[in-house]
Amino acid sequence: MKKVALYCRVSTRDQEPENQVISLTDYAKRQGFEYEVFVEKESTRKTRPVKYELMQCIRNGQFDRVIVWKMDRWARST
């Protein structure tokens, strides 16, 4: 079984990541993945502590892959 990280991000506190969380967890369940959800609220390019934590986990081999709702949630400039 693959272990995946589900990364959700919103830009401001008045936005809710719930739609991203629901979509990603539904997908992970359908695929039979073991998963952990990482949610970043009110982030800027320079301050994304949850993403930093997730990157450390990836470097340590804790996850087989990262799944995002949309590429711009991971990196705005892509």
Side-chain angles (χ1 to χ4, degrees):
M1 177 183 290
K2 295 207 182 283
K3 183 160 186 190
V4 299
L6 307 178
Y7 179 75
C8 306
R9 180 179 70 79
V10 292
S11 301
T12 63
R13 284 211 182 270
D14 62 326
Q15 295 174 317
E16 290 297 325
E18 199 58 36
N19 287 340
Q20 294 176 49
V21 173
I22 291 168
S23 293
L24 293 175
T25 56
D26 285 350
Y27 175 77
K29 288 174 186 175
R30 283 194 311 273
Q31 298 300 313
F33 294 147
E34 181 181 339
Y35 63 90
E36 189 171 331
V37 178
F38 293 80
V39 177
E40 191 93 65
K41 285 190 106 175
E42 193 177 11
S43 63
T44 67
R45 265 193 236 162
K46 294 179 183 179
T47 59
R48 294 202 177 129
V50 174
K51 185 177 179 181
Y52 177 77
E53 172 192 352
L54 174 54
M55 293 296 292
Q56 292 300 105
C57 292
I58 293 166
R59 288 182 186 106
N60 293 333
Q62 293 176 270
F63 297 102
D64 296 303
R65 63 182 69 156
V66 176
I67 302 174
V68 295
W69 185 67
K70 205 171 152 187
M71 267 312 285
D72 72 352
R73 299 296 83 200
W74 182 256
R76 289 295 284 166
S77 61
T78 54

